[in-house]
Amino acid sequence: QHGPSSCPQFVAGGGGETDLELLHTSEYLHCKLRLARVYFSGFKPVPDTPFENQPAVNPWRQNRLYQADFLLRDYGFTIEDLPFNPSGSLPLEVDPKLAWAQANLSSAPVEINRADLHQLLRIPGIGPRSAKAIIAARRKNTLRNIDDLKAIGVRPARAAAFILLDGSRIPQQI
């Protein structure tokens, strides 16, 4: 358990740092120092300061940094897995987990009935709780359709493009 003083906060955009640099530091803090949480704030200029003419950061940047940090901390992703552009920024138009899945799972969907926890956590719409629920449910029965997933708390709309159920893509089963 860490108190407020042991939870660092980064201001993104004030000093020209990239998302890659911020998240590399975040990964280090989680993995090596075992800090439970890192906070991000988007830079906003303050009048009468040396940074008053610096542009404010797009609010989506802060959101994407949090999403990527959760992937590093709770989903088994590494810095190398994250979808940085050549300048070291995360895409603002799509969340990092979805961007990763679009690049890696669209042509190779995951079979829900055989995937391990690590593989399940890579699928959009599946978090730690629903991944564990999938593993528990398939010990009893083969998951065959959307209703089976909904019954255990999975959001099939987000996951559909990246999974197979009993060998078939979901759109073919609707």
Side-chain angles (χ1 to χ4, degrees):
Q1 188 95 220
H2 298 283
S5 63
S6 59
C7 294
Q9 179 162 346
F10 297 104
V11 177
E17 70 293 322
T18 66
D19 296 342
L20 175 59
E21 291 168 324
L22 290 171
L23 289 165
H24 186 72
T25 302
S26 171
E27 182 182 48
Y28 174 82
L29 294 171
H30 292 309
C31 294
K32 302 293 183 197
L33 301 182
R34 300 285 184 223
L35 291 185
R37 191 68 198 252
V38 173
Y39 294 92
F40 300 95
S41 293
F43 174 79
K44 294 176 187 149
V46 176
D48 299 323
T49 67
F51 296 105
E52 70 182 340
N53 295 320
Q54 205 57 7
V57 166
N58 183 323
W60 278 106
R61 182 176 183 198
Q62 177 181 319
N63 191 41
R64 299 301 182 221
L65 285 166
Y66 273 114
Q67 290 170 327
D69 186 59
F70 292 146
L71 294 177
L72 294 171
R73 190 185 74 202
D74 300 332
Y75 288 74
F77 280 70
T78 66
I79 285 291
E80 292 76 22
D81 295 324
L82 297 176
F84 297 105
N85 66 27
S87 67
S89 297
L90 292 166
L92 296 179
E93 67 280 354
V94 63
D95 80 67
K97 188 176 184 183
L98 180 58
W100 182 89
Q102 288 170 335
N104 294 280
L105 299 179
S106 290
S107 61
V110 175
E111 171 54 66
I112 290 292
N113 289 296
R114 288 194 303 268
D116 64 23
L117 181 65
H118 176 76
Q119 292 167 316
L120 291 170
L121 288 173
R122 299 287 173 130
I123 302 166
I126 298 178
R129 210 172 317 141
S130 54
K132 290 174 185 169
I134 288 169
I135 291 170
R138 69 184 191 202
R139 286 185 188 127
K140 298 172 188 165
N141 294 309
T142 299
L143 301 171
R144 298 187 193 285
N145 59 51
I146 286 179
D147 292 333
D148 292 343
L149 292 177
K150 287 179 182 176
I152 58 174
V154 177
R155 293 186 256 163
R158 287 191 44 104
F162 310 108
I163 65 174
L164 298 174
L165 278 170
D166 202 23
S168 299
R169 286 190 178 262
I170 287 183
Q172 297 168 348
Q173 296 179 2
I174 296 175

